[in-house]
Amino acid sequence: MADASVSEAKGGPMLAADGTPLKKSLSRALRRQKMRALALIAPLLVFVLLTFVLPIGDMLLRSIKNDIVAETLPATVVELADWDPEAEALPGDDVWMAFYVDMWFASERKEHTRLGTRLNYEQTGVSSLFRKTGRRVDRFDTDVYADQFVALDAAWENPATFASLLDSDAADALPVTADAWARWKDFNEEEGDKVLEEDVPDFLYTALYHDLSKAPQVSGPALSAAAAAVPGFETVSLPEQFEDADEDWMDPEVWKTIQLYSPRVTSGYFANAADMQLTPEGIQQRPENEQIYGTLFKRTLFMSLMITGSCILLAYPVAWLLANLPMRVANLLMILVLLPFWTSLLVRTSAWKVMLQQQGVINDVLVWLGLVADDARLTMINNQFGTIVAMTHILLPFMILPMYSVMQTIPPTYLRAAKSLGATNWTAFWRVYFPQSVPGIGAGSILVFILAIGYYITPEIVGGNTGTFISNRIAYHISSSLNWGLAAALGTILLVVVLVLYWAYDKIVGIDNVKLG
C-alpha cells in the first residue's frame, strides 16, 4: 500500500505488492477468473454444441444441399448447361456421350440407384429408369467401335497406347477421351488395379470415335490414320441404346429434371415444403390436389393451440388445489400428477386408443347410460379429437408444475386482505390472485406448445388421416422415403414458425414475465 502511495505521489502508475502496475494486475486476475468460469461451463457448452447447435446446422445445410447430381454425372451436368429445355427437343450428341460415360462409372460404383432415388422425389418413375439403365449400360452395342479401332491397328487394344497419347499434348485434341481416361485411371486406383493391365473399356473407344469425328486435325501417325478411317466406321446411336434400356429417356421432362437439379445448392426442397415446385420457368404453385404441407402446418398450429388451451383449463384448478391444500394432501395429489411420468408413453397412448374407439369404454358407458344409440356410437379416435384428448393427457403435467411453482409463492393473505376491503370472492381472485399466476401460465404454455408442435408418436397412433402433425410427415421422410432434404426443409420451416411465435409472445406478453416459481 505504501508502494502504491509513493508511486501515486511521484506521478507514476499505481503498483501492486509484487511491483507490477495495478491495472495490469487487476486485468490478469480478471482474466484468470474468466478462464476458470469458462473451464467450469466448457462441458455444458460442448454438450450443447454437439447435441443441439451442430444438428440444427446440419439440418439447415441438408435443406439446400444437392451434391449428388453434380458428383454422379459431372460431365453430363457440364454439357447440359448449354441445352435449352424450352425447345422441347432431346439433348445433342455431346450430352449423350457424356451421359454414357457418367452412367458407366455410376453403375460400377453403385451410385446410380442413389441418384435415381434423389431425382424420383421430383419426378415419379426416374428411380426405376436409372436402375434399369445401370444394369444395361455395360452391355451397350458400342463394342463395334472397339472392333473397328483394333482392326485398324492392333495397338489400340493396348491401354499403353491410350496412356502415351492422352498423357501428352494430344489430349487437348481429344477432350472427351482424355477426361474418360483420367476418370478410368482414378477408378482403377480406387479398386487397387493397375490401369495398364486392364482391358480397355468400350466407352473409351466410343469417346475416341466421338472426338475424332469432330477433331479438325490431330498429330501423330496412329491418330491421323484413325481420324482418316473414322468417317467410314459403322456407327452406333447412343440415344437408341438408352431408348432400348428404357424408352423414358426419350422424354425431355427427364432431362429437364436432371438439368434443374444439377446445381449443388437448390431451393427445390423448400419449394416442395411450401407446396410449390421448381421448374425451368421458376418456382410455381403445385396443383391443388398435391398441396398437403400447407394443410399440415395449419393443422399443427391449430391443434397445438387447442392442446395448450385445454391444458390451461384443466391444469389451473389442479395447480390451485396443490398450492392451497394442506401439505399432506397436496403431496398426495402431487404424486398423482407425477404418476404418468412413470408410465410408458406408448402405454398411455394405447390406453386412449382402447378407451376412445367405437367399441371402447367411453362409448360403452354412453350407450349404457342411454346418451348414445348403439348404432350411432361416437367417432372419437383416428381424428383430431382423439389427438387433442390423448396429447392433453400426456402434456398436462408440464402445465401443472410451472403453474404450481408460481402459485405456491403467492401469499394467501393477499386474498384475505382483498376480501376485508369489500371484494367478492370472484373479484379478489380475478383482480389479485390471477394476475400473479400469469407468469406460471406463460411458462407452462410455452413448454406445452413447443412440446405439442413437435410431437409425432401420439398423433401417429391416434390421429388417423386428419389428426396427424407436420412432424409425422418429417418422420416419414426421414425413416421411410429417405428424403432427408425435404424433411430438413420442413423442420427448418417449423423451427422458423416456432421462433416467430416466440418473438410474438415476447412482444405481446413479455418473456420477462415468464417464471417458474
Side-chain angles (χ1 to χ4, degrees), residues 175-220:
V176 177
T177 312
D179 179 70
W181 170 257
R183 293 172 65 182
W184 192 54
K185 286 200 302 183
D186 293 340
F187 174 75
N188 279 278
E189 290 178 3
E190 293 173 7
E191 298 294 318
D193 300 326
K194 295 182 179 179
V195 66
L196 296 181
E197 297 178 359
E198 297 294 318
D199 294 333
V200 180
D202 292 340
F203 70 82
L204 268 177
Y205 293 108
T206 309
L208 181 61
Y209 168 81
H210 181 82
D211 281 332
L212 290 177
S213 64
K214 292 189 174 185
Q217 58 183 2
V218 290
S219 58

Side-chain angles (χ1 to χ4, degrees), residues 33-101:
Q33 290 180 356
K34 289 181 178 179
M35 292 301 295
R36 282 196 295 268
L38 181 61
L40 289 174
I41 66 171
L44 178 61
L45 288 178
V46 172
F47 177 78
V48 172
L49 179 67
L50 294 178
T51 62
F52 186 73
V53 178
L54 290 181
I56 290 180
D58 181 66
M59 177 185 71
L60 296 174
L61 183 62
R62 285 180 180 273
S63 64
I64 59 173
K65 188 177 179 181
N66 188 56
D67 289 337
I68 186 170
V69 179
E71 290 178 353
T72 309
L73 305 176
T76 307
V77 167
V78 173
E79 296 296 339
L80 265 181
D82 298 329
W83 178 60
D84 182 13
E86 297 181 0
E88 296 297 331
L90 292 173
D93 292 339
D94 292 342
V95 174
W96 289 104
M97 183 66 241
F99 187 59
Y100 173 43
V101 176

Side-chain angles (χ1 to χ4, degrees), residues 137-465:
V137 70
D138 195 35
R139 301 196 299 271
F140 279 4
D141 296 333
T142 52
D143 54 348
V144 298
Y145 293 119
D147 296 338
Q148 293 175 94
F149 275 110
V150 172
L152 184 66
D153 189 340
W156 287 114
E157 194 173 11
N158 191 345
T161 304
F162 284 87
S164 62
L165 288 173
L166 300 176
D167 292 336
S168 64
D169 295 338
D172 295 336
L174 307 171
V176 177
T177 312
D179 179 70
W181 170 257
R183 293 172 65 182
W184 192 54
K185 286 200 302 183
D186 293 340
F187 174 75
N188 279 278
E189 290 178 3
E190 293 173 7
E191 298 294 318
D193 300 326
K194 295 182 179 179
V195 66
L196 296 181
E197 297 178 359
E198 297 294 318
D199 294 333
V200 180
D202 292 340
F203 70 82
L204 268 177
Y205 293 108
T206 309
L208 181 61
Y209 168 81
H210 181 82
D211 281 332
L212 290 177
S213 64
K214 292 189 174 185
Q217 58 183 2
V218 290
S219 58
L223 279 180
S224 299
V230 155
F233 273 15
E234 178 186 352
T235 62
V236 174
S237 172
L238 286 177
E240 290 180 1
Q241 295 295 308
F242 281 101
E243 184 180 12
D244 289 341
D246 196 309
E247 61 182 11
D248 285 345
W249 287 118
M250 298 297 105
D251 184 2
E253 293 299 323
V254 173
W255 295 98
K256 289 181 183 179
T257 302
I258 295 175
Q259 185 191 57
L260 200 58
Y261 288 91
S262 60
R264 293 182 178 271
V265 176
T266 180
S267 60
Y269 291 125
F270 279 103
N272 291 336
D275 287 329
M276 293 184 285
Q277 57 186 343
L278 196 61
T279 66
E281 294 78 25
I283 295 178
Q284 297 180 354
Q285 196 76 26
R286 283 189 177 276
E288 188 172 351
N289 61 341
E290 297 180 7
Q291 299 177 16
I292 60 173
Y293 296 115
T295 302
L296 282 174
F297 274 113
K298 293 175 183 177
R299 181 193 301 166
T300 300
L301 288 175
F302 168 74
M303 294 179 66
S304 297
L305 291 173
M306 290 292 295
I307 292 166
T308 303
S310 60
C311 284
I312 292 173
L313 294 177
L314 294 174
Y316 199 94
V318 176
W320 185 87
L321 287 173
L322 288 171
N324 291 277
L325 285 175
M327 184 61 66
R328 180 175 297 179
V329 180
N331 288 340
L332 179 61
L333 290 179
M334 180 58 72
I335 292 175
L336 296 178
V337 170
L338 298 176
L339 190 60
F341 288 123
W342 305 335
T343 308
S344 169
L345 174 64
L346 291 176
V347 171
R348 285 181 282 163
T349 304
S350 300
W352 277 112
K353 194 172 184 69
V354 172
M355 293 180 64
L356 294 176
Q357 62 184 334
Q358 287 189 308
Q359 302 300 324
V361 177
I362 295 178
N363 264 304
D364 286 344
V365 171
L366 293 176
V367 171
W368 179 69
L369 293 175
L371 299 177
V372 174
D374 189 38
D375 57 349
R377 290 172 175 256
L378 301 179
T379 303
M380 297 182 290
I381 200 67
N382 296 329
N383 52 28
Q384 294 187 15
F385 178 81
T387 301
I388 292 173
V389 170
M391 288 188 62
T392 298
H393 168 246
I394 290 170
L395 298 178
L396 190 58
F398 295 98
M399 182 70 74
I400 293 175
L401 295 177
M403 285 186 179
Y404 166 67
S405 63
V406 171
M407 290 179 181
Q408 203 176 28
T409 64
I410 302 175
T413 55
Y414 286 3
L415 287 177
R416 292 198 293 268
K419 292 178 183 178
S420 67
L421 293 175
T424 62
N425 289 335
W426 171 252
T427 302
F429 167 77
W430 186 249
R431 300 288 297 275
V432 177
Y433 191 87
F434 182 78
Q436 296 182 79
S437 66
V438 167
I441 297 175
S445 298
I446 291 179
L447 185 60
V448 169
F449 180 79
I450 292 178
L451 287 173
I453 204 171
Y455 241 68
Y456 73 94
I457 296 178
T458 301
E460 183 70 23
I461 295 175
V462 302
N465 293 327

